[in-house]
């Protein structure tokens, strides 16, 4: 099942790629721009010690139906021994606008772009989270576990797609981890792997609490709820670079900021994040004009007048402390549909 080609075909593709410049470097390895026949591709080369991430990502692309506009398209995977080490490759579509983090660092958004990008991210997330049990298409619920602006790419028509499935895991329909096929067969090593959280800055309150109390990963947690929290932070990153959020002209748009910038140090630790997010219940700043309108219930029907207010309302409902009260991706999609701009003549 899945859209992945058999490994031998994938390998043939991978070996015909002409390597071009370096695009990005991360904890996992390095991403290069490459050329395959007449198209550009992105080649992610994993560090040897990140073999588990490579395996995880390749396995998900090969066994789950991940063909979706808002999920980075898989092209091929390859592992080859160069005599010194094993090279682990993942080949995907190339997007010249780079990551959402890069894009927001150098561009401001119109309200339309903000809402459209938000919708595209949530559509990709909904596809990951959705269980599909059709005759042809089958997929499990997948929790991404490392949603952040650096793991989202921007297409040439300013849509977003979700990338980096190296920490993702298959879940039961209620979002709890599925290791192997039987839930009760959680091996110690599976639990240990699942205890690795994504990026500290984006870690959900329920995980911040666990880590500090030195508890083991709780296998009954709904991991899709943690993705929703991280996504709310990404939606705030969009809002913070949108004209009309802090003021009505492009000059009043603040510089790009990561969530919680100025509230925590540049490489925050779990205890740093717990103090701000759980103990002090702080969240990234929302202009008081918008919060006041929301708390007085001044918003009724969605219209083009109050789109950013409605998006802020959604963000507020997605970064709540209690996982159970956060919105589901499908609910967010439905709430955003009336705000989308249809470019009819
Ligand atoms: N940076 C990381 N992955 C990328 C991709 N697929 N396309 C463009 N830039 C990237």
């Amino acid at each position: 099942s899945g859209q992945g080609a058999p490994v031998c075909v994938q390998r043939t593709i991978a070996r015909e790629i002409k390597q071009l410049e370096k695009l990005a470097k991360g904890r996992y390895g390095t991403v290069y721009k490459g050329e395959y026949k007449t198209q550009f591709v992105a080649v992610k080369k994993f560090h040897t010690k990140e073999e588990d991430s490579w395996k995880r990502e390749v396995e998900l692309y090969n066994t789950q139906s991940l063909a979706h506009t808002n999920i980075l398209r898989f092209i091929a995977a390859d592992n080859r021994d160069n005599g010194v080490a094993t090279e682990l490759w993942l080949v995907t579509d190339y997007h010249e606008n780079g990551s959402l983090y890069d894009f927001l660092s150098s561009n401001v958004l119109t309200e339309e772009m903000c809402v459209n990008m938000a919708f595209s991210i949530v559509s990709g997330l909904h596809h990951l989270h959705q269980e599909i049990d059709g005759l042809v298409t089958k997929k499990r619920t997948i929790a991404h576990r490392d949603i952040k602006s650096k793991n989202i790419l921007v297409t040439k028509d300013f849509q977003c797609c979700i990338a980096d499935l190296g920490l993702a895991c298959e879940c039961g329909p209620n979002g709890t981890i599925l290791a192997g096929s039987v839930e009760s067969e959680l091996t110690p090593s599976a639990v240990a792997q699942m205890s690795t959280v994504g990026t500290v800055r984006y870690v959900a309150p329920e995980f911040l609490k666990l880590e500090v109390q030195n508890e083991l990963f709780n296998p009954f947690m709904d991991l899709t709820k943690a993705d929703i929290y991280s996504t709310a932070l990404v939606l705030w990153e969009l809002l913070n670079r949108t004209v009309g959020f802090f003021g009505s002209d492009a000059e009043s748009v603040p510089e790009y900021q990561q969530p919680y910038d100025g509230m925590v140090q540049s490489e925050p630790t779990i205890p740093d994040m717990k103090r701000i997010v759980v103990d002090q219940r702080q969240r990234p700043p929302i202009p008081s004009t918008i919060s006041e309108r929301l708390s007085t219930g001044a918003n009724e029907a969605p219209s083009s007048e109050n789109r950013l207010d409605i998006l802020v309302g959604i963000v507020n409902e997605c970064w709540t402390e209690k996982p159970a009260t956060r919105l589901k991706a499908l609910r967010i999609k439905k709430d955003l549909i009336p705000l989308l701009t249809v470019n009819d003549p």
Side-chain angles (χ1 to χ4, degrees), residues 23-24 31 42 72 92-96 98-99 153:
L23 294 172
V31 182
L72 181 62
T92 63
D93 274 350
Y94 165 76
H95 295 295
E96 64 181 30
S99 73
L153 295 161

Side-chain angles (χ1 to χ4, degrees), residues 64-284:
Q64 304 288 319
S65 305
L66 294 180
H68 188 280
T69 349
N70 304 113
I71 295 176
L72 181 62
R73 192 174 72 98
F74 172 88
I75 297 172
D78 191 15
N79 55 346
R80 58 178 110 169
D81 199 326
N82 64 13
V84 185
T86 310
E87 285 205 355
L88 305 166
W89 285 30
L90 180 75
V91 185
T92 63
D93 274 350
Y94 165 76
H95 295 295
E96 64 181 30
N97 279 320
S99 73
L100 182 59
Y101 173 87
D102 299 331
F103 188 78
L104 293 177
S105 302
S106 49
N107 296 277
V108 298
L109 308 180
T110 63
E111 243 180 65
E112 288 75 14
M113 286 172 87
C114 175
V115 170
N116 287 317
M117 286 175 133
F119 184 77
S120 68
I121 295 166
V122 175
S123 299
L125 191 67
H126 172 241
H127 184 76
L128 280 178
H129 286 181
Q130 187 183 28
E131 187 181 54
I132 306 176
D133 192 12
L135 281 175
V136 179
T137 311
K138 293 193 193 297
K139 73 172 278 298
R140 288 251 174 80
T141 290
I142 297 167
H144 184 285
R145 300 177 72 238
D146 198 15
I147 295 282
K148 55 174 172 175
S149 51
K150 287 181 179 170
N151 285 347
I152 293 173
L153 295 161
V154 179
T155 69
K156 65 177 184 325
D157 52 354
F158 311 119
Q159 291 266 319
C160 293
C161 54
I162 297 175
D164 285 282
L165 302 176
L167 273 181
C169 66
E170 293 172 41
C171 299
N174 52 3
T176 56
I177 175 194
L178 267 188
S181 52
V182 189
E183 269 170 283
S184 59
E185 282 180 357
L186 272 180
T187 64
S189 84
V191 173
Q193 201 240 317
M194 289 307 137
S195 311
T196 353
V197 290
T199 305
V200 170
R201 188 182 289 273
Y202 290 83
V203 166
E206 59 274 26
F207 281 88
L208 295 173
K209 289 183 200 169
L210 278 184
E211 193 76 18
V212 170
Q213 293 161 17
N214 247 342
E215 276 177 55
L216 268 185
F217 173 78
N218 173 352
F220 302 107
M221 268 194 312
D222 182 343
L223 301 175
T224 65
K225 297 294 187 188
D227 281 352
I228 297 288
Y229 169 87
S230 317
T231 302
L233 298 180
V234 174
L235 300 186
W236 177 86
E237 291 175 73
L238 294 175
L239 283 165
N240 191 53
R241 293 290 280 161
T242 299
V243 177
F245 185 58
F246 275 106
S248 54
D249 52 24
E251 280 71 50
S252 59
V253 176
E255 291 283 287
Y256 168 75
Q257 288 197 303
Q258 288 193 288
Y260 301 108
D261 260 358
M263 304 159 90
V264 294
Q265 61 188 56
S266 65
E267 303 262 322
T269 63
I270 293 269
D272 291 340
M273 294 310 301
K274 185 191 171 252
R275 193 173 326 114
I276 297 298
V277 175
V278 179
D279 303 342
Q280 300 178 10
R281 297 172 177 232
Q282 296 203 57
R283 294 294 183 272

